[in-house]
Amino acid sequence: MLLHQRADKKYHGGGLWTNACCSHPQMSEDIKESASERLRYEMGLKCELTKLFSFVYKKAVENDLIEHEFDHVFIGFTNQSPKPNNDEVKTYKWVEPEWLQSDIKSNPNSYTSWFKMALPKVLVHLKESV
């Protein structure tokens, strides 16, 4: 699974590990197209994406902000090497799901809130599709 560490200068979540990218669709923009565009922008990757699920979360984050979002989770597969945008991404790594689950338990404050909420459902999908 591809993770990225958010750039330190992000207004929230700077330096935290999270999913490969986060899309921010504009009004009337197709969600899947927005996700593909953002994947290219943040990670320099292009691949076919499939929507897995959506969820809503509300969580206090740093800088006295509260995130209240309706998130759509997509999955894609690629053999390409990421070419991350330094404005968005500090670094990235490929990890095994088992290692990731263990690391989140050991270091929960190193990961974004939304990623920790979405990951269990993503892992169920991956197990079911194998």
Side-chain angles (χ1 to χ4, degrees), residues 6 13 15 27 70-71 77 81 96 102:
R6 292 169 60 86
M27 195 67 115
F70 179 43
D71 288 357
F77 298 90
S81 294
E96 293 292 331
S102 175

Side-chain angles (χ1 to χ4, degrees), residues 4 18 29-31 33 48 59 66 77 89 102 111 122:
H4 87 269
T18 196
E29 184 178 18
D30 180 82
I31 301 295
E33 285 178 26
E48 182 61 33
K59 184 81 174 170
I66 295 175
F77 298 90
V89 177
S102 175
Y111 294 87
V122 170

Side-chain angles (χ1 to χ4, degrees), residues 10-98:
K10 299 292 282 183
Y11 71 96
H12 77 85
L16 297 181
W17 288 95
T18 196
N19 44 290
C21 80
C22 295
S23 177
H24 302 277
Q26 302 300 309
M27 195 67 115
S28 76
E29 184 178 18
D30 180 82
I31 301 295
K32 184 176 178 179
E33 285 178 26
S34 176
S36 292
E37 176 184 302
R38 197 68 187 190
L39 182 61
R40 284 189 303 275
Y41 175 75
E42 288 189 14
M43 297 303 293
L45 295 172
K46 184 175 181 179
C47 66
E48 182 61 33
L49 297 176
T50 302
K51 185 173 180 182
L52 296 183
F53 59 91
S54 298
F55 70 103
V56 175
Y57 80 95
K58 185 176 182 180
K59 184 81 174 170
V61 295
E62 68 276 12
N63 298 330
D64 295 321
L65 297 173
I66 295 175
E67 281 212 324
H68 190 187
E69 293 191 355
F70 179 43
D71 288 357
H72 305 273
V73 178
F74 288 82
I75 193 169
F77 298 90
T78 184
N79 290 324
Q80 298 174 4
S81 294
K83 296 176 182 84
N85 177 336
N86 293 332
D87 291 334
E88 299 289 330
V89 177
K90 183 175 182 175
T91 191
Y92 69 91
K93 61 185 170 185
W94 293 95
V95 300
E96 293 292 331
E98 297 77 17

